[in-house]
Amino acid sequence: MPIHRRHFSFQLLAAALAGAGMQPSHAAAYNKGKPVRLLVGFPPGGGTDAIARLLAEKMKDTLGTPVVVENRPGAGGQIAAQQLKASPLDGSTFFVTHDHTISILPHVVKNPGFDPRTDFVPVAGFASFVNALAVSPSTGAKSFDEYVQWVRRQGGKSAVGIPAPASTPEFLVQLLGKRYELDLVAAPYRGSAPMLADVMAGQIPAGVGSVQDFIETHRAGKLRVVATLGGKRQAALPDVPTFGELGLKGFEDMPYYGVYAPAGTPAVMVHEVSQAVAKAVAQPDVHSQLVAMGLTVGYMTPEQLAAREKAYTDVWVKIIQDSGFKPQ
């Protein structure tokens, strides 16, 4: 039976399946063994891509069918989201994404080509994370204060890479500039991977992105993370202060990762894939790898993901409006 996000009840579905003797058997191949696609709206090599591939490897064992990652990069996930909307309602296509595409992009683009409230149904949430500011070795900065001083020596003006235009990182760059009286210009990239490469190479002196995009290169000394968002320091980066500690308040709410399906996907398939995600992130090796990437791991039911999405969207709609940004 087709579902719509506003009418979908995870608890009622489980009870109905149990009463009808229809609890899904993961011993049998999901959807008759038809491959499942996990769409990713960013290029290979970035944090979202790595996370999706980690999930896919475990989900295929639970579902009993191949699970493949398909990258559809561009426009901050907009292209992949449009692809999801146009996908058949046969349980073959899902979307692994974070807050930008679902909570931010529909409010900064005039015609995004999709509405997550009506075109998508939440399947499972599995992690939250924080964004961070990383600086290139070319600046010589070892801390946020040293980075600010470096920018001032450049005449107070500098570019900061961001993984997508009109994204949370872009608004953060804007607020940092105002707070520290710097002329910081956000330079958008097509995903975190090319931005990361330019920061490491010194082609751009700094970048804002998710912790999972920066953490390995930070550990390797190829760049330095100097500040993170969130209400507390990250376990993976205990020596890096939060922006709150540095005096920039209001960014304690953490972005999220989730899996979505096209609205109208059969409820039993949404349930099976949701449970496959739950089992994947519960496995110790997956959990430890996600934590090492800088994620806070925690499974969310479809209802919990929907509530998380709404709360985060409400916060950022106000920030976007207060910034004076006009949808483009």
Side-chain angles (χ1 to χ4, degrees):
M1 178 179 179
I3 62 174
H4 188 285
R5 166 180 177 166
R6 288 173 293 185
H7 305 297
F8 178 70
S9 170
F10 188 76
Q11 289 84 359
L12 289 177
L13 170 63
L17 290 174
M22 292 174 56
Q23 283 289 357
S25 170
H26 297 300
Y30 170 87
N31 204 13
K32 298 181 181 180
K34 184 176 181 178
V36 171
R37 295 188 302 162
L38 296 183
L39 298 175
V40 172
F42 300 94
T48 304
D49 176 70
I51 291 165
R53 293 181 188 279
L54 184 60
L55 290 178
E57 182 63 25
K58 299 298 182 180
M59 289 172 64
K60 69 177 178 60
D61 296 332
T62 301
L63 296 175
T65 195
V67 179
V68 297
V69 173
E70 184 173 307
N71 299 88
R72 291 295 181 93
Q78 185 176 350
I79 293 173
Q82 292 172 349
Q83 179 67 34
L84 182 72
K85 177 182 175 180
S87 296
L89 307 180
D90 58 0
S92 65
T93 308
F94 295 84
F95 185 26
V96 178
T97 190
H98 52 60
D99 63 292
H100 174 71
T101 309
I102 301 298
S103 290
I104 307 297
L105 198 150
H107 302 284
V108 297
V109 176
K110 285 184 179 179
N111 298 298
F114 69 95
D115 184 339
R117 297 170 298 178
T118 56
D119 296 327
F120 303 158
V121 60
V123 175
F126 57 87
S128 58
F129 65 98
V130 297
N131 286 306
L133 173 69
V135 299
S136 171
S138 64
T139 65
K142 303 296 184 183
S143 68
F144 180 76
D145 286 343
E146 290 183 9
Y147 166 69
V148 171
Q149 294 304 317
W150 180 87
V151 175
R152 287 178 175 152
R153 290 195 299 272
Q154 314 310 306
K157 183 174 182 177
S158 184
V160 181
I162 58 172
S167 58
T168 302
E170 178 167 342
F171 294 111
L172 177 60
V173 170
Q174 181 184 98
L175 290 170
L176 285 175
K178 289 181 179 178
R179 170 66 176 78
Y180 294 96
E181 299 181 344
L182 302 173
D183 186 2
L184 298 179
V185 180
Y189 283 77
R190 291 191 57 177
S192 58
M195 177 193 70
L196 182 64
D198 275 4
V199 173
M200 288 190 294
Q203 296 298 315
I204 193 165
V208 173
S210 64
V211 164
Q212 59 268 28
D213 289 331
F214 295 136
I215 195 162
E216 291 302 322
T217 46
H218 170 86
R219 288 170 175 157
K222 297 179 180 179
L223 53 70
R224 179 174 289 270
V225 176
V226 294
T228 67
L229 277 74
K232 60 182 181 180
R233 295 192 181 196
Q234 298 301 294
L237 295 168
D239 297 329
V240 178
T242 67
F243 280 109
E245 291 177 68
L246 298 169
L248 188 65
K249 305 293 184 181
F251 289 91
E252 290 73 31
D253 197 28
M254 297 173 68
Y256 59 90
Y257 266 106
V259 179
Y260 293 82
T265 299
V268 66
M269 292 180 169
V270 170
H271 174 73
E272 288 201 50
V273 172
S274 185
Q275 290 302 295
V277 173
K279 289 184 178 181
V281 299
Q283 295 185 38
D285 60 332
V286 174
H287 187 277
S288 62
Q289 288 182 69
L290 293 176
V291 169
M293 291 179 187
L295 299 178
T296 299
V297 183
Y299 168 72
M300 290 179 275
T301 66
E303 287 94 350
Q304 289 170 334
L305 175 58
R308 182 78 184 89
E309 173 192 326
K310 182 180 184 305
Y312 191 85
T313 301
D314 289 346
V315 169
W316 276 94
V317 165
K318 186 176 186 307
I319 292 173
I320 292 167
Q321 292 173 343
D322 289 349
S323 75
F325 184 87
K326 303 297 182 184
Q328 300 172 353

